[in-house]
């Protein structure tokens, strides 16, 4: 196995040659003809291909007796979400899940990554259960099994019940304990059929993005709340793993999101290192090694909850696999010199996606190698999310090219010895992209948000040809 010593200090890459702008990039391609350049046999036979979604983004939170969650109130507060859009209707997957699972099966995937809404199952976050909610997930899992799709379950993908938000949400340690209760109730019902499970989707988003940057619910910008959330979300991960093991569940993992931290200039190496520490190292090192990176802890320690170190053994329980959610990287500089966490982003280099996210498949390969190294090469890895938002409608040649490049990067990581076992495309269909509402379309399948009609895009057909080849 190739070992790379990242030494966790990013290096500055001068802008020798700007990658080509998206338009030029697209002109070069006739991706449909190039279909043959990649094929299913490039990956091991038992390699898992899947698509991913999350509950609040697709189900229609207004359906089926779900309780209010913090995304409902955050999105109804002006300035937080474009056009005050929310997930009340979303893709109406709650009603159309059979049709949606048909689409996953027909594209040729063998797995489907979904999440369970806490507020749908426990409208108050604890105690009384909404039977219709539990029944929904029971049917959903049955329908996956009926289509030979492995159910890949994420317990929590961000819709915190409002009753728990009222008590301080992730800044309150109690929320971690309550999540473990929810995990237990859910696993009692669907644990016998799920193929793999992870407690939390993207702890960085739950903590830093939502409590320090304020971009996601609850929209806080408070270092103390953020620090507590940084720890409690990991504690929740550990408590849920513990609860599930106690119930006999197997194949339990952790899903992290990663972003390449590039120094904007030669003077920005420290800023990039700090960004990398908060974003990439904090969560991964806590789970892999049971410790927080010292440079980041130095900034956060004054705000850490009492006796936090006692929780590290719960957090670092062994996992059976690690999920990598990867989309992009940033070019960073220091905002106010010397202030912890004050890091500014410089413009991305083209090509970029509709999110203005720089496209670079090499960084995916780098993270796959890095995660492998962090876990001492001992844990299977899955790409649990990767994909792009595009404005190109159903003729999404850009998405085909994006996926092709990233599949190749994944293949290359396997060649270098990474035990990569699967790849989930984000996302099955266009959906609610959080504070960016319904404009940012990540789907392999187009959704008309008026009629709810689903139309497979060119990328869907490309993937189908690849997987059935
Ligand atoms: C995330 C989430 C998804 C997003 C996707 C595109 O990474 O933010 O897992 O809910 O929709 O990543 O931003």
């Amino acid at each position: 196995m190739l070992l790379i010593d990242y030494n966790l200090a990013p290096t500055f890459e001068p802008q020798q040659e700007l990658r080509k702008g998206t338009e030029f990039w697209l002109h070069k391609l006739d991706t449909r003809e190039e279909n043959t350049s990649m094929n299913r046999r490039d990956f091991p036979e038992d390699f898992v291909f899947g698509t991913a979604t999350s509950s609040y983004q697709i189900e229609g939170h207004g359906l089926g007796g779900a309780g209010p969650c913090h995304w409902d109130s955050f999105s109804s507060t002006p300035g937080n979400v474009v056009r005050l859009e929310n997930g009340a209707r979303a893709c109406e997957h709650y009603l159309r899940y059979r049709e949606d699972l048909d689409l996953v099966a027909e594209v040729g995937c063998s797995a489907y990554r979904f999440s369970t809404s806490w507020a749908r199952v426990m409208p108050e976050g604890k105690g009384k259960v909404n039977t219709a909610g539990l029944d929904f997930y029971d049917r959903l899992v049955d329908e996956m099994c009926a289509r030979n799709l492995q159910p890949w379950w994420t317990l929590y993908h961000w819709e915190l019940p409002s009753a728990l938000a009222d008590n301080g949400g992730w800044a309150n340690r109690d929320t971690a304990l309550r999540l473990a209760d929810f995990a237990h109730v859910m696993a009692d019902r669907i644990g016998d059929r799920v193929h793999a499970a992870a407690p939390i989707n993207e702890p960085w988003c739950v903590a830093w993005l939502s409590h320090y940057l304020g971009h996601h619910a609850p929209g806080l910008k408070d270092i103390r709340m953020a620090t507590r959330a940084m720890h409690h979300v990991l504690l929740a991960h550990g408590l849920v793993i513990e609860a599930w093991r106690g119930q006999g569940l197997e194949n339990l993992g952790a899903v992290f999101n990663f972003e390449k931290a590039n120094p904007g200039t030669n003077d920005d190496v420290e800023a990039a290192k700090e960004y990398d520490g908060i974003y990439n190292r904090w969560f991964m090192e806590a789970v892999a090694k049971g410790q927080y990176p010292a440079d980041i802890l130095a900034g956060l320690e004054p705000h850490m909850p009492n006796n936090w170190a006692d929780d590290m053994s719960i957090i670092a329980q062994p996992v059976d696999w690690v999920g990598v959610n990867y989309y992009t990287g940033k070019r960073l500089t220091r905002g106010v010199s010397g202030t912890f966490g004050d890091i500014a982003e410089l413009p991305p280099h083209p090509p970029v996606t509709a999110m203005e996210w720089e496209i670079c498949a090499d960084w995916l390969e780098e993270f796959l190698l890095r995660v492998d190294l962090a876990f001492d090469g001992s844990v299977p890895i899955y790409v649990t999310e990767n994909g792009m938002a595009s404005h190109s409608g159903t003729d999404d040649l850009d998405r085909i090219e994006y996926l092709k490049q990233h599949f190749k990067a994944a293949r290359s990581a396997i060649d270098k010895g990474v035990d990569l076992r699967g790849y989930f495309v984000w996302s099955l269909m266009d959906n609610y992209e959080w504070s960016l509402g319904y404009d940012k379309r990540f789907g392999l399948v187009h959704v008309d948000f008026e009629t709810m009609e689903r139309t497979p895009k060119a990328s869907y057909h490309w993937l189908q040809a690849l997987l059935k080849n």
Side-chain angles (χ1 to χ4, degrees), residues 57 157-158 201-202 325 327 355 357 385 426 433-434 442:
Q57 294 181 273
H157 198 131
W158 311 350
N201 182 66
E202 302 187 349
N325 290 3
Y327 294 91
M355 300 287 279
W357 288 350
E385 279 182 31
W426 185 272
E433 182 53 27
W434 306 111
F442 275 88

Side-chain angles (χ1 to χ4, degrees), residues 90-169:
C91 307
E92 289 187 353
H93 172 76
Y94 185 78
L95 305 173
R96 296 164 192 268
Y97 60 97
R98 289 190 180 86
E99 180 190 346
D100 294 335
L101 293 178
D102 285 343
L103 286 163
V104 185
E106 280 161 20
V107 79
C109 285
S110 56
Y112 177 60
R113 180 170 176 258
F114 69 107
S115 74
T116 46
S117 164
W118 192 348
R120 177 177 299 294
V121 173
M122 292 177 145
E124 294 290 318
K126 55 184 172 184
K128 198 170 168 304
V129 162
N130 169 29
T131 318
L134 262 187
D135 291 349
F136 170 68
Y137 293 116
D138 200 19
R139 288 195 305 274
L140 186 70
V141 170
D142 272 348
E143 295 284 341
M144 283 180 229
C145 296
R147 289 164 181 75
N148 283 324
L149 296 169
Q150 296 175 354
W152 280 66
W153 171 30
T154 304
L155 177 70
Y156 180 74
H157 198 131
W158 311 350
E159 52 283 279
L160 185 74
S162 297
L164 299 183
D166 294 345
N167 287 337

